Amino acid sequence: MPPADPTAANPALAAQAVLLARPVTEARRMADAIRALAIDAVEAAKSGHPGMPMGMADVATVLWTRFLKFDAADPRWPDRDRFVLSAGHGSMLLYALIHLTGHAGMGIEDLKQFRQLHSVAAGHPEYGEHPAIETTTGPLGQGLATAVGMALAERHLAARFGRSLVDHRTWVIASDGDLMEGISHEAASLAGHMKLSKLTVLWDDNGISIDGDLSISSSEDQLKRFAAYGWAVKRVDGHDPDAVAAACAQAVRASKPTLIACRTIIGFSAPTKAGTAGSHGSPLGGAEAAAAKAALGWTHAPFEVPEDLRALWATAGARSSGPRRSWLKRLAKHPQKGEFDRAIQGRLPDGWTDSLNALRASIAENKPNQGSRISSQKALEALVPAVPEMIGGSADLTGSNNTNVKGIPAMKPGDYAGRFVHWGIREHGMAAAMNGMALHGGIIPYSGTFLIFADYLRPALRLAALMQQRVIHVLTHDSIGLGEDGPTHQPVETLASLRCIPNVSVFRPADAMETAECWDLALRRNDGPSVLALSRQNLPTLSTETGENRCARGGYVLAEASGPRRATFIATGSEVQLAMAARDMLEAEGLPAAVVSLPCWELFAAQDPAYREATLGSAPRIGIEAAVSFGWDRWLGPEGAFIGMTGFGASAPAEQLYRHFGITAEAAAQAARKRITTNA
């Protein structure tokens, strides 16, 4: 019996044989250097994803040698093209490209440490590990959506500073998985609507997912889908450099964002695993790896790249050195040079706090009674005119989030000079695009939705925290106080879930003064995202201090006891007024009590222990928050009590809900009396 034909079970192998029989060109050899490095690094690490780098090496070679505008000598050049590897599992593709093009800080020893502790070549690309890594990717779909924000930022800054300073493109390599994730729909829809013509997605159309052939889980026509979004679309043989180049050239001329479906063979050159899920997420294995290299005609030792190929790649890395030098000359003579440099470097303009300080003085004098979402809008009316890089927006809740500022126009398709984005009902895509705007530089994005919908944007918020990006989320309707919309919209658990994300500052201000102070802090913060959790219902002004920003410590004594403390009420946001009322009750009974406002747990936790202990005191502590108690133990201690939610909310007017769930000043005062008696 003749041996079974492996191509019968795996047609990709037959196609691969035809491709490998083609004459070996210079471009192919350059691509083979990527493949070899990917194979070697994954084998050395004993883990990783070799299939995508092997399959997309030809596409990436065309992009990086003929179209991508970058200079390896200055990977943070502001007018470089942005390259996003949305399919972050194929990270060795990016690391090989960075290494081969001559970037410092990604040497061959770094590649040998792929996926090892403290390596710049981490398992998935991590922003900050190397300056040529534009964003952290790996959670599928996030890179594509982040790139939409980068493309939008480029268009806005070009409108602000002119094309002589800002004229670049955003390129993405995406996988089948990227296009399957829900966020890709939000991002692609928005990009098409906004006509982001300088955005191009190179889709690795290899038809394979982790579980096997893509047909087991997906059957849509992606090109028709993207065309419906308003994209230009094209399908090419991803192993034909000329076809890829022609498609990229067409994308450069297009008036729409472009999706190029690059039909590839995952694990290209592997003798048995090519075209299968077996090459996706694990090393090929010694024998398969050796055979894959042999099929390519690659005879060099592991991690060895011949000098002639290194020279070709080095030339590609310096291809835009001339354009960069010309750009630097234009910048030096540009009348907006100082403002451009300031914005790109993330420095706030001189005098930006003047109008905010005037607002604080007005609050102290007039003592407004208003929802903190309204107070936030007043703060924005002071800040946005003073900080021109602030770009606002809302997920179709502008009138509810109050993130708009009168006189500030919105961006529109083809007109990107505005400073407000109507994101539509796309919370996840919005947050990821905001990350892209911040990563691009020159923009401080802030945007809004309801606090309950933080669940829709959480993955992007987490990445912002991981990448230490200054993005600000205005999340309104922050408790049962929103009332009649009911438990589907009442975020009883959301504050706790946000507070547990490392490097996120969650601000829940108690009144107009604290709201202004929290905006000051959020804007100053340049090493991570901020959340402002704001009320729908009116809140009285409780603080009239216009000197020190007391929210900067995260928590402070709003009202001290009239004598030695018998109890301390600790509250955030809309419940601070209840704490003040409970204090008044105890004081009237001769029981001295203090009130601590705790608008930002993260900042309070960062204070020295002596300050925290002096603020919280040694008397019994009563916490009050219209949310679940998760996390409150750290502030209340074993003798404390919590007044808040124990389950979901209900639909009714806010006042009725607070009484129904027992979140009242009377309940807080009674809890304090009980503990005072117990401790007497």
Side-chain angles (χ1 to χ4, degrees), residues 60-73:
T61 298
V62 170
L63 176 62
W64 280 60
T65 61
R66 298 173 63 174
F67 290 92
L68 191 70
K69 183 174 73 169
F70 74 102
D71 187 351

Side-chain angles (χ1 to χ4, degrees), residues 79-296:
D79 200 39
R80 69 192 180 279
D81 283 358
R82 270 52 171 185
F83 173 72
V84 173
L85 183 66
S86 193
H89 56 274
S91 56
M92 266 309 303
L93 177 71
L94 177 58
Y95 302 150
L97 288 163
I98 294 172
H99 168 73
L100 290 168
T101 49
H103 287 78
M106 189 67 79
I108 203 69
E109 293 303 316
D110 296 302
L111 300 188
K112 290 179 180 179
Q113 292 300 305
F114 177 55
R115 288 182 154 239
Q116 305 308 301
L117 186 62
H118 305 309
S119 173
V120 297
H124 292 82
E126 294 183 19
Y127 176 81
E129 290 296 332
H130 189 278
I133 299 173
E134 299 284 2
T135 181
T136 296
T137 55
L140 292 176
Q142 288 284 338
L144 170 57
T146 300
V148 171
M150 293 177 176
L152 195 59
E154 189 275 343
R155 291 290 75 204
H156 172 75
L157 292 173
R160 179 179 174 189
F161 293 109
R163 291 186 60 183
S164 65
L165 292 187
V166 184
D167 186 13
H168 53 266
R169 305 185 63 84
T170 303
W171 302 86
V172 180
I173 285 182
S175 64
D176 293 304
D178 286 295
L179 302 193
M180 292 173 75
E181 286 285 359
I183 190 174
S184 77
H185 298 259
E186 297 183 20
S189 171
L190 178 69
H193 170 72
M194 293 299 290
K195 301 187 186 304
L196 298 178
S197 60
K198 302 185 81 171
L199 171 66
T200 301
V201 175
L202 298 154
W203 164 34
D204 181 16
D205 179 19
N206 62 37
I208 296 295
S209 65
I210 292 175
D211 283 353
D213 195 278
L214 194 65
S215 62
I216 66 175
S217 60
S218 178
S219 56
E220 66 263 41
D221 187 322
Q222 296 286 12
L223 268 61
K224 288 183 178 178
R225 172 190 158 202
F226 274 74
Y229 290 143
W231 288 55
V233 296
K234 181 77 172 177
R235 173 168 273 115
V236 299
D237 176 353
H239 298 293
D240 182 343
D242 292 337
V244 173
C248 289
Q250 188 174 336
V252 169
R253 299 190 299 269
S255 59
K256 305 174 180 181
T258 299
L259 174 72
I260 303 173
C262 303
R263 190 63 181 172
T264 64
I265 297 173
I266 189 171
F268 179 77
S269 80
T272 67
K273 294 184 178 181
T276 73
S279 67
H280 169 78
S282 59
L284 296 178
E288 185 86 1
K293 289 184 180 180
L296 297 172

Side-chain angles (χ1 to χ4, degrees), residues 405-424:
V405 174
K406 186 177 181 180
I408 300 295
M411 290 191 200
K412 300 174 184 177
D415 180 2
Y416 307 99
R419 296 174 56 200
F420 189 88
V421 182
H422 290 289
W423 293 105

